[in-house]
Amino acid sequence: MLWTASQVCRRFSTSSHYYQNKLKLAIIGQSLFGQEVYTNLRKHGHKVVGVFTVPDKDGKADPLAVAAEKDGTPVFKFPRWRVKGKPIPDVVEAYKAVGAELNVMPFCSQFIPMNIIDLPKHGSIIYHPSILPLHRGASAINWTLIHGDKKAGFTVFWADDGLDTGPILLQRECAVEPNDTVDTLYNRFLFPEGIKAMVESVQLIADGKAPRIPQTEEGASYEGIQKKSNAKINLAQSAKAIHDWIRGHDKVPGAWIAINGQPVTLYGSSLFGGSAPAGQPLEIEGASQPGLVTKNGLILYGNDGKALLVKNLQFEDGKMIPASKYFSSGESSSVELTDDEKKMAEEIRNIWKGILSNVQAIEDTTDFFKSGAASMDVVRLVEEVKQKCPSVQLQSEDVYMATTFQDFIQMFVRKLRGEDQEEELVIDYATKEVNNMTVKMPYQCFINGKFEDAENGKTYETINPTDGKVICKVSYASVEDVDRAVAAAKDAFDNGPWGKMNPRDRGSLLYKLADLMEEHQEELATIESIDSGAVYTLALKTHVGMSIQTFRYFAGWCDKIQGKTIPINQARPNRNLTFTKKEPLGVCAIIIPWNYPLMMLAWKSAACLAAGNTLVLKPAQVTPLTALKFAELTVKAGIPKGVINILPGSGGMVGQRLSDHPHIRKLGFTGSTPIGKQIMKSCALSNLKKVSLELGGKSPLIIFSDCDIDKAVRMGMSSVYFNKGENCIAAGRLFVEESIHDEFISRVVEEIKKMKIGDPLDRSTDHGPQNHKAHLDKLLEYCSTGMKEGATLVYGGRQVGRPGYFMEPTVFTDVEDHMFIAKEESFGPVMVVSKFKDGDVDGVLQRANDTEYGLASGVFTRDINKAMYVSERLEAGTVFINTYNKTDVASPFGGFKQSGFGKDLGEDALLEYLKTKAVTVEY
């Protein structure tokens, strides 16, 4: 059957619960799937009285036979059960002797006689990988994809004398993803859920609860076995139909086209959207137009004008290459081996000999697959070579790309020498002459150490808020891109050098990254300014400057992450030692906002990386460019591929998939409270991943009459208008003591009139544009609501009459506690002022805490006792006394209540990205 073509080496188990009712079972079948069903049925207390499987092939036993023989279960390896349609008597007698009560057939390629099927007390049940009666026959998964079905699934049914026509016992189904292949569908759902279903089915039979639902003929279909000879692609159809045909044959038997009269098999198809990148035309027989060989792969076109992208090509001699290398596939020259490399090559030759035991001698021209190797042998080869040489990062795909022994050794030696990593990073820049420099901005997804277009080819425009014009088009990442990025991050954590690196070496790389950021600080600040509207001087000092400090701070923590020794009660007469270890979590997702694009990246990712994790980061859709420039610098710093992945795109697509992804162990998010709640829910429902949230705020600032009024005016304005008010901890509401209220407001307005609003790249500008148009519109509506509710607009409240998204610094007074602007965050340059009675400390504290938010707060007074009294009672993660916005990389930052939980910065931030393991030793 084609659906077992690419089995992966795995261990799967259901819970070891022993049921009251147990059966004596005969397992008839083969494959890793059959092995796992056998193992889990035994774990559940059923007795397997016999395993009937296929004979050894090339001296190697089937996985089912291997497991059964290890357990001492009787194993029978019959090449056939019948001859000329009649059961073989010796085979039947051997079967009868085991005394099975039920035949379980998880995957069986042999024809089993009906007298065997019907003989046990409970008959026989069979697993079939389709939702019967749809796709009866041996190539069910293939046809599910070929027909473009929206749903796939499997059926456990009672065997009868028809072809997959017996009564249904149990069915399960799943959605088919747009780029699913036979392998992905099998590995994601049909394999793991099928094992559970077979165990469940047997138990239902044992308990007398198993249904027998007759199959209907309505909607029934039967398709034949797909072979190489009938897998040629008909290119005179839609791109979707071509894509479905290719993925329905991936990897076996392989859909193929003819190029220059030679068959070429296609693998790794995905639908392609957007404009095609530059490439070299390729004539393909039967195509409506030439294909296009691009850096991403081979683009093919359907007769509907739409396109698909193919990743890999395999030639008739078995050699597989990336489709992007079609025109350069013969250019690589062989390398001369050193004496040590020759010794290693001979050790690898012995590994090949152990796997290909049917081959007398491994010659340079010996082809791994033509010599009988299967997909499980690929896994074995990779793992045995990695045992011999752990420093070489070998993948299964490398074997498919180098199928002969000579090619394999050449590939291995290049990896051993690091030549496969010497390829210069290819970056397509968007360039601009701005701020007296040439700014070079990457604009593609950054996945596994490479910049590449989104899987579907889609892009979107990022806008300069200063003039509303397009800066460049940026890749719009898809769900498939998220999955690829997470897979790269997981592989980097599990198998790459990052996970094996000494902490001090990891710190050295982060120091080097900080140095590169400092070297490029003017360029980073310029990009930050044109993409987010940040005033250049502020971008240079804070957005970029604090980002550099953050990476240096956490680089120093890498080799200082420690556990503890803990005294516990001794198990006399023995003694015990208990200690704890701090370990990284694994793959982490980070979703950052648009107000401080680079700094928020640094606050979260520096701690994440210092702890030893890998990450997938989604910058805000409207401000992706400094994150992508940062990605470029990580490569220059020597951060291994896959450790950092950056995906520009939408929160609804990329962010949601990161929240749902089962391989992500931690998600750090900065953004709005409603989105934070949704993320927390998704993280809980998916795999209960750890979460830290820095959310909305309505930070109160209390100004007492005994304050330094000059400082209070200056800091009060900074608390609101810093970074155009687009500041997480901005003072969302000022409470000013009645006796100084009018003077305070008068002096604030006087200072606002001196502020220069304009081009953020102008060094004399005080106030730049809001980040994007939708936010400006929201702020104008916010001010309109304040006026409608009766607050007094003292100054501003309007858009500045010039191109771009500029808003006047705004001041509201007479704001009452029930008003919308008293309760909700503006996240803009809007000062919301309420007065309080002289001396009413407890009253103003009650009003200040009357909010669901608790991110930051502040108090201005010369009375230290009053300051400490207020600070102890303010319900906020940060309290500023006679200052504001004073954050530091060593000080923890985070909120209370609906402002979130978890900390950025300081030692506390490391704990967000670590887990504690307790180890107890008896001696």
Side-chain angles (χ1 to χ4, degrees):
M1 289 188 185
L2 300 179
W3 59 277
T4 59
S6 183
Q7 300 160 336
V8 293
C9 193
R10 68 171 92 189
R11 286 284 176 261
F12 181 91
S13 66
T14 55
S15 59
S16 301
H17 179 74
Y18 282 78
Y19 296 89
Q20 182 176 359
N21 302 310
K22 305 177 182 67
L23 294 176
K24 291 189 289 184
L25 308 173
I27 308 295
I28 304 176
Q30 62 203 73
S31 80
L32 188 62
F33 184 73
Q35 179 198 68
E36 292 294 341
V37 170
Y38 159 82
T39 300
N40 281 280
L41 285 170
R42 292 184 76 247
K43 283 184 179 179
H44 281 73
H46 299 286
K47 181 175 178 59
V48 179
V49 294
V51 166
F52 298 84
T53 187
V54 294
D56 296 354
K57 182 180 179 181
D58 299 325
K60 293 184 291 184
D62 183 82
L64 173 58
V66 171
E69 288 170 343
K70 183 179 178 181
D71 295 333
T73 302
V75 177
F76 305 85
K77 302 177 181 180
F78 300 134
R80 62 188 63 83
W81 290 70
R82 60 184 187 175
V83 176
K84 296 182 179 180
K86 294 184 178 181
I88 301 172
D90 290 346
V91 173
V92 173
E93 288 306 313
Y95 168 78
K96 287 181 178 179
V98 302
E101 297 173 314
L102 173 69
N103 291 332
V104 178
M105 303 168 69
F107 167 60
C108 181
S109 62
Q110 298 176 314
F111 288 98
I112 310 300
M114 282 308 298
N115 62 334
I116 300 294
I117 294 290
D118 295 335
L119 183 62
K121 172 183 176 182
H122 296 290
S124 303
I125 59 170
I126 303 177
Y127 171 93
H128 184 79
S130 80
I131 306 171
L132 291 174
L134 193 63
H135 304 311
R136 293 169 175 165
S139 298
I141 310 178
N142 304 70
W143 287 106
T144 296
L145 296 172
I146 291 168
H147 284 295
D149 294 354
K150 300 296 184 185
K151 291 183 178 180
F154 57 80
T155 304
V156 180
F157 68 97
W158 301 92
D160 65 4
D161 58 359
L163 184 59
D164 302 330
T165 57
I168 294 170
L169 191 161
L170 179 150
Q171 286 186 323
R172 297 282 187 271
E173 64 181 41
C174 70
V176 178
E177 300 295 334
N179 294 319
D180 263 333
T181 64
V182 173
D183 281 358
T184 62
L185 200 54
Y186 178 66
N187 294 335
R188 185 180 78 245
F189 183 79
L190 300 174
F191 182 98
E193 296 303 318
I195 294 165
K196 294 178 186 176
M198 289 299 281
V199 174
E200 181 181 348
S201 297
V202 171
Q203 193 56 50
L204 286 170
I205 296 169
D207 294 339
K209 299 177 181 179
R212 292 176 179 260
I213 304 169
Q215 286 193 44
T216 176
E217 289 304 306
E218 182 179 349
S221 65
Y222 171 81
E223 298 92 1
I225 297 176
Q226 282 302 95
K227 300 178 180 178
K228 195 74 173 183
S229 57
N230 58 14
K232 185 176 182 180
I233 303 167
N234 173 17
L235 295 169
Q237 53 184 335
S238 69
K240 173 70 164 58
I242 296 171
H243 166 63
D244 287 338
W245 184 266
I246 295 172
R247 67 191 184 125
H249 292 80
D250 189 339
K251 292 218 172 11
V252 175
W256 57 279
I257 56 176
I259 302 176
N260 297 325
Q262 300 298 317
V264 178
T265 306
L266 311 184
Y267 298 107
S269 171
S270 60
L271 293 172
F272 186 84
S275 57
Q280 190 170 348
L282 177 64
E283 293 294 334
I284 299 170
E285 295 176 21
S288 57
Q289 65 184 90
L292 192 66
V293 177
T294 73
K295 62 184 180 182
N296 297 325
L298 172 63
I299 295 177
L300 298 177
Y301 295 92
N303 61 8
D304 56 354
K306 296 182 179 179
L308 61 141
L309 180 70
V310 174
K311 287 291 188 183
N312 296 316
L313 307 176
Q314 187 174 39
F315 299 104
E316 200 170 11
D317 63 1
K319 182 180 181 181
M320 185 182 287
I321 64 166
S324 59
K325 305 291 186 184
Y326 178 81
F327 288 110
S328 57
S329 60
E331 293 178 2
S332 60
S333 56
S334 60
V335 296
E336 190 70 27
L337 272 60
T338 65
D339 289 342
D340 287 342
E341 290 166 350
K342 288 177 182 177
K343 292 178 182 177
M344 182 62 72
E346 288 308 308
E347 291 186 37
I348 295 174
R349 193 186 299 271
N350 290 332
I351 294 173
W352 275 53
K353 179 63 180 174
I355 296 172
L356 304 176
S357 54
N358 56 311
V359 178
Q360 288 188 350
I362 304 298
E363 308 289 347
D364 287 351
T365 56
T366 300
D367 187 284
F368 193 66
F369 297 102
K370 289 181 180 178
S371 299
S375 56
M376 286 182 61
D377 298 312
V378 173
V379 177
R380 177 180 168 186
L381 174 61
V382 168
E383 293 305 315
E384 288 198 35
V385 172
K386 284 163 71 173
Q387 280 185 332
K388 290 286 184 183
C389 191
S391 63
V392 175
Q393 298 304 306
L394 199 62
Q395 309 294 331
S396 295
E397 201 69 19
D398 294 324
V399 184
Y400 290 109
M401 296 292 187
T403 60
T404 67
F405 181 75
Q406 183 178 31
D407 288 344
F408 184 87
I409 291 299
Q410 291 284 312
M411 174 272 297
F412 172 83
V413 170
R414 286 192 174 94
K415 283 183 173 289
L416 184 65
R417 296 177 180 179
E419 293 176 5
D420 65 320
Q421 300 173 4
E422 293 296 323
E423 183 179 351
E424 186 178 351
L425 180 65
V426 177
I427 307 176
D428 286 344
Y429 291 111
T431 59
K432 280 195 176 296
E433 297 295 329
V434 61
N435 202 23
N436 299 316
M437 67 178 75
T438 300
V439 176
K440 300 167 71 175
M441 299 169 286
Y443 58 84
Q444 297 166 294
C445 300
F446 184 70
I447 301 174
N448 205 24
K450 296 180 180 178
F451 286 101
E452 51 191 50
D453 292 337
E455 186 83 19
N456 55 19
K458 289 185 178 180
T459 61
Y460 70 97
E461 296 174 342
T462 186
I463 306 297
N464 184 342
T466 302
D467 56 16
K469 294 181 180 179
V470 176
I471 301 171
C472 63
K473 289 187 176 181
V474 178
S475 292
Y476 190 77
S478 65
V479 169
E480 289 75 23
D481 295 311
V482 176
D483 291 345
R484 290 191 299 119
V486 173
K490 188 173 188 302
D491 185 63
F493 182 80
D494 292 340
N495 305 311
W498 187 253
K500 304 176 180 69
M501 191 177 294
N502 290 326
R504 199 162 297 165
D505 294 336
R506 188 164 66 240
S508 296
L509 290 179
L510 295 184
Y511 276 122
K512 186 175 181 181
L513 177 57
D515 291 344
L516 283 165
M517 292 171 70
E518 187 170 52
E519 183 181 325
H520 290 264
Q521 62 182 329
E522 289 85 1
E523 185 178 21
L524 287 166
T526 302
I527 297 171
E528 191 93 335
S529 187
I530 65 173
D531 203 25
S532 76
V535 172
Y536 176 76
T537 51
L538 178 65
L540 194 62
K541 178 181 182 297
T542 301
H543 289 234
V544 179
M546 193 172 186
S547 299
I548 296 166
Q549 292 176 27
T550 303
F551 271 99
R552 286 188 174 139
Y553 174 80
F554 283 107
W557 266 109
C558 289
D559 61 354
K560 300 171 185 68
I561 299 171
Q562 300 175 2
K564 300 176 181 177
T565 56
I566 303 171
I568 65 169
N569 289 341
Q570 306 293 346
R572 299 173 184 171
N574 297 318
R575 298 178 63 79
N576 295 99
L577 168 66
T578 293
F579 62 91
T580 62
K581 297 172 62 182
K582 298 290 186 182
E583 298 180 348
L585 300 171
V587 180
C588 299
I590 293 173
I591 303 175
I592 57 174
W594 43 258
N595 58 325
Y596 294 103
L598 186 64
M599 194 170 78
M600 291 297 100
L601 175 154
W603 280 22
K604 290 187 176 347
S605 63
C608 173
L609 295 168
N613 301 286
T614 59
L615 65 88
V616 179
L617 182 140
K618 192 199 88 66
Q621 185 172 343
V622 292
T623 54
L625 296 180
T626 41
L628 294 171
K629 187 67 180 181
F630 168 82
E632 176 189 349
L633 299 181
T634 68
V635 177
K636 292 181 178 180
I639 305 291
K641 67 178 183 178
V643 172
I644 297 171
N645 304 271
I646 296 181
L647 300 175
S650 76
M653 184 183 298
V654 176
Q656 186 62 53
R657 179 56 180 158
L658 290 172
S659 302
D660 293 336
H661 205 291
H663 292 156
I664 290 174
R665 295 299 170 192
K666 159 70 193 282
L667 190 148
F669 171 75
T670 296
S672 72
T673 297
I675 298 300
K677 290 179 179 180
Q678 179 60 43
I679 284 174
M680 190 172 176
K681 180 180 178 181
S682 297
C683 289
L685 292 175
S686 55
N687 62 339
L688 209 62
K689 56 177 66 70
K690 189 176 182 180
V691 181
S692 58
L693 303 172
E694 196 252 281
L695 307 176
K698 189 65 175 173
S699 301
L701 173 57
I702 303 173
I703 301 176
F704 290 99
S705 60
D706 60 355
C707 69
D708 178 339
I709 189 69
D710 293 333
K711 188 174 186 181
V713 169
R714 186 175 70 255
M715 289 290 185
M717 290 182 66
S718 175
S719 75
V720 176
Y721 303 128
F722 189 82
N723 199 48
K724 313 159 296 175
E726 296 167 353
N727 187 21
C728 308
I729 57 173
R733 192 175 181 194
L734 277 67
F735 295 92
V736 182
E737 201 159 9
E738 191 169 25
S739 58
I740 62 166
H741 174 273
D742 293 349
E743 180 188 359
F744 179 85
I745 296 298
S746 175
R747 292 180 63 168
V748 165
V749 171
E750 183 181 335
E751 292 301 317
I752 289 175
K753 291 176 180 178
K754 299 176 186 177
M755 292 172 64
K756 180 178 179 179
I757 302 173
D759 183 354
L761 293 176
D762 184 335
R763 300 325 191 248
S764 64
T765 294
D766 298 303
H767 190 80
Q770 304 309 135
N771 187 276
H772 52 282
K773 187 176 186 305
H775 184 53
L776 173 63
D777 293 342
K778 176 186 170 186
L779 288 172
L780 295 173
E781 180 64 27
Y782 184 91
C783 292
S784 176
T785 300
M787 288 186 288
K788 288 175 184 177
E789 288 190 329
T792 301
L793 178 64
V794 176
Y795 192 90
R798 298 169 300 180
Q799 183 174 358
V800 178
R802 57 167 291 163
Y805 311 138
F806 292 85
M807 182 176 178
E808 295 176 337
T810 299
V811 179
F812 277 101
T813 60
D814 302 320
V815 178
E816 298 179 15
D817 294 351
H818 69 275
M819 292 180 178
F820 176 82
I821 63 173
K823 294 179 175 294
E824 296 300 324
E825 179 181 32
S826 71
F827 211 64
V830 183
M831 183 179 284
V832 177
V833 184
S834 300
K835 66 177 68 173
F836 66 96
K837 292 181 179 180
D838 290 349
D840 188 11
V841 177
D842 290 327
V844 74
L845 270 171
Q846 184 176 354
R847 295 171 71 190
N849 287 329
D850 186 19
T851 173
E852 276 300 303
Y853 300 109
L855 188 56
S857 59
V859 54
F860 277 82
T861 176
R862 285 191 172 99
D863 184 340
I864 189 62
N865 292 323
K866 184 191 297 182
M868 297 307 296
Y869 178 87
V870 171
S871 69
E872 288 173 5
R873 286 158 179 78
L874 282 170
E875 298 169 359
T878 297
V879 180
F880 298 109
I881 299 177
N882 294 327
T883 187
Y884 209 89
N885 288 322
K886 178 56 182 173
T887 54
D888 187 88
V889 294
S891 177
F893 180 95
F896 300 161
K897 300 188 284 189
Q898 292 199 44
S899 288
F901 50 83
K903 297 295 182 183
D904 292 324
L905 304 180
E907 183 180 0
D908 289 38
L910 280 172
L911 303 179
E912 301 294 333
Y913 296 94
L914 292 165
K915 58 189 177 186
T916 302
K917 178 183 288 183
V919 180
T920 297
V921 183
E922 186 169 287
Y923 60 96

